[in-house]
C-alpha cells in the first residue's frame, strides 16, 4: 500500500484529506446507485458500456497531460494480470451488492488493507510487526461479527465481498512489485480495455447461446436502454474516473499514512446510505464489527 511520497514541504494535507473524503463520497454514491440499478442489467453489459465511455476520456487525458508517455505499458503481461484481478474483484463486489446490506458489503470489502498486509508479508517479506498482526486479528474478528448475524444462512453472496477484497489486495501487491513504474493512467487504460474485451466477449457468447444460455447477474441478454439508462452509464463512468483521479491527487498532496486513514470515510458514507436509502438497521454486533475493521485497517496502515 505504500505510495511514493513527495517532499514534506510540498504536502498540502488539508486539500489532500478533502480530496480523499470527496472521492469516497463520490464512490459510495456510485456503489449505492449500482446497488439500486444493476439488478436488472447483466454486469457484462454494464462494464462494457461504462468502459466504452471511460476509455476515450483516458486516452484524451494521456494525450493532453502526458504526451510523452506510451499507451503501451512497459510490462504488458503484469499490467494485464493486475487489471484482470481488479476487474474480477469489481465484478464480484458489484454482484454482491443487490443481495447484501450495503453497509455489510462495504465493511467486509474494506478488509483490503489486512490482506495487503498478509500478502506483502508472505510474498515480498515485508515486516509486519506486533502492531500489524494485532490489526489483522482485530480486522478478522470484525469480519466474523459482521457475518455472524447471517451464520444460519451463510451462502456464497455473504463471502463475495471478502473474495473481492482478496483479489483487490493481490492486485495492489502486484502493482507494488511488478507495475510500480507504470503511469497510473496507462494502467487504467489497460483495465478498461480488458473490461471492454470481457464484457463484449461475454455478451457475444450470450447472443450465440440464445435462450439456452440462461440469465444471470454476470451475463445475459442485453436489456433495452433508453435515455435514462444511457445517462446513468455516463454518470457512473464519470464518477469512477473522478474516483481514480481523486485518489491520485489525495496521495500526491498528503502523506499516505494520513490519507489512507481518511479513506475509511467510505465506511461512514456506506452506513449513511444504507440507513437513508435502503432502511438498513445494524445490530450491536455488526456495528462493533465495522468499528473493528476500520480500526484494524488504520492500525496496519500506520504501523
Amino acid at each position: 500500500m505504500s505510495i511514493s511520497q513527495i517532499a514534506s514541504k510540498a504536502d498540502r494535507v488539508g486539500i489532500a484529506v478533502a480530496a480523499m473524503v470527496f472521492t469516497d463520497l463520490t464512490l459510495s454514491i456510485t456503489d449505492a446507485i449500482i446497488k439500486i440499478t444493476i439488478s436488472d442489467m447483466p454486469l457484462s453489459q454494464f462494464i462494457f458500456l461504462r468502459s466504452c465511455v471511460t476509455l476515450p476520456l483516458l486516452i484524451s487525458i494521456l494525450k493532453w497531460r502526458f504526451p510523452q508517455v506510451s499507451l503501451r505499458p512497459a510490462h504488458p503481461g503484469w499490467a494485464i494480470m493486475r487489471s484482470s484481478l481488479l476487474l474480477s474483484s469489481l465484478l464480484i463486489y458489484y454482484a454482491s451488492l443487490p443481495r447484501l446490506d450495503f453497509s455489510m458489503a462495504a465493511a467486509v470489502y474494506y478488509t483490503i488493507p489486512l490482506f495487503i498486509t498478509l500478502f506483502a508479508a508472505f510474498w515480498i517479506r515485508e515486516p509486519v510487526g506486533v502492531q500489524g498482526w494485532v490489526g489483522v486479528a482485530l480486522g478478522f474478528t470484525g469480519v466474523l461479527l459482521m457475518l455472524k448475524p447471517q451464520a444460519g444462512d451463510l451462502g456464497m453472496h455473504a463471502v463475495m465481498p471478502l473474495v473481492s477484497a482478496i483479489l483487490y489486495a493481490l492486485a495492489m501487491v502486484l502493482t507494488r512489485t511488478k507495475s510500480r513504474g507504470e503511469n497510473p493512467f496507462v494502467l487504467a487504460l489497460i483495465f478498461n480495455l480488458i473490461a471492454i474485451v470481457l464484457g463484449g466477449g461475454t455478451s457475444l457468447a450470450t447472443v450465440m447461446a440464445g435462450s439456452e444460455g440462461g440469465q444471470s447477474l454476470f451475463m445475459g441478454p442485453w436489456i433495452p436502454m433508453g435515455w435514462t439508462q444511457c445517462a446513468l452509464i455516463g454518470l457512473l463512468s464519470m464518477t469512477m474516473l473522478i474516483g481514480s483521479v481523486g485518489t491520485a491527487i489525495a496521495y500526491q498532496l498528503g502523506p499516505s499514512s494520513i490519507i489512507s486513514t481518511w479513506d475509511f470515510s467510505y465506511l461512514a458514507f456506506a452506513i449513511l446510505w444504507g440507513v437513508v436509502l435502503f432502511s438498513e438497521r445494524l445490530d450491536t454486533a455488526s456495528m462493533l464489527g465495522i468499528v473493528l475493521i476500520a480500526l484494524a485497517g488504520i492500525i496496519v496502515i500506520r504501523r
Side-chain angles (χ1 to χ4, degrees):
M1 292 188 61
S2 62
I3 297 178
S4 299
Q5 296 180 9
I6 55 180
S8 58
K9 66 179 181 180
D11 283 350
R12 303 173 68 182
V13 177
I15 296 177
V17 169
M20 190 71 259
V21 173
F22 177 75
T23 297
D24 279 342
L25 173 62
T26 302
L27 292 178
S28 67
I29 293 174
T30 299
D31 290 345
I33 293 174
I34 290 172
K35 177 176 173 63
I36 295 171
T37 60
I38 199 65
S39 58
D40 295 327
M41 180 183 293
L43 279 171
S44 58
Q45 179 181 0
F46 174 70
I47 64 168
F48 177 82
L49 294 175
R50 196 186 70 180
S51 292
C52 282
V53 175
T54 306
L55 189 64
L57 293 175
L58 284 169
I59 294 175
S60 299
I61 292 173
L62 280 164
K63 291 297 184 182
W64 172 53
R65 289 287 290 121
F66 308 100
Q68 75 284 359
V69 174
S70 172
L71 299 183
R72 185 179 186 274
H75 304 284
W78 292 118
I80 291 172
M81 182 179 294
R82 169 194 177 274
S83 296
S84 299
L85 288 170
L86 281 177
L87 183 60
S88 299
S89 170
L90 200 65
L91 288 173
I92 292 172
Y93 182 62
Y94 284 167
S96 73
L97 290 179
R99 292 162 170 79
L100 296 176
D101 286 350
F102 188 32
S103 52
M104 175 183 174
V108 176
Y109 181 69
Y110 259 68
T111 56
I112 289 170
L114 311 183
F115 286 111
I116 291 178
T117 300
L118 287 175
F119 295 150
F122 291 105
W123 188 354
I124 59 178
R125 305 299 180 185
E126 187 173 281
V128 176
V130 175
Q131 182 177 333
W133 290 118
V134 169
V136 170
L138 284 176
F140 288 118
T141 300
V143 171
L144 291 176
L145 287 172
M146 289 296 298
L147 297 179
K148 184 178 179 181
Q150 300 188 12
D153 186 27
L154 189 60
M156 176 184 67
H157 298 115
V159 297
M160 285 172 73
L162 198 64
V163 175
S164 179
I166 291 173
L167 294 174
Y168 189 97
L170 284 171
M172 291 302 99
V173 175
L174 192 62
T175 301
R176 182 193 302 182
T177 56
K178 302 298 183 180
S179 300
R180 194 167 186 173
E182 304 282 5
N183 184 290
F185 285 98
V186 174
L187 291 177
L189 188 72
I190 298 300
F191 172 86
N192 282 277
L193 281 172
I194 291 177
I196 289 174
V197 171
L198 177 63
T202 302
S203 300
L204 180 61
T206 302
V207 172
M208 294 177 65
S211 59
E212 297 179 359
Q215 173 82 32
S216 69
L217 185 62
F218 287 103
M219 59 186 297
W222 278 28
I223 64 170
M225 292 181 58
W227 288 108
T228 302
Q229 289 83 1
C230 291
L232 182 63
I233 292 293
L235 174 64
L236 293 177
S237 301
M238 291 302 299
T239 55
M240 289 302 294
L241 189 59
I242 289 172
S244 300
V245 175
T247 301
I249 291 174
Y251 278 101
Q252 286 172 350
L253 296 181
S256 60
S257 59
I258 295 176
I259 305 307
S260 297
T261 301
W262 281 96
D263 191 14
F264 281 88
S265 61
Y266 179 93
L267 284 181
F269 291 127
I271 295 171
L272 175 63
W273 304 140
V275 173
V276 173
L277 299 178
F278 307 112
S279 301
E280 297 174 2
R281 294 294 180 267
L282 296 173
D283 58 18
T284 303
S286 296
M287 284 299 301
L288 180 58
I290 290 175
V291 170
L292 287 179
I293 290 171
L295 178 62
I298 294 171
I299 288 174
V300 299
I301 288 169
R302 299 177 69 92
R303 70 183 191 277

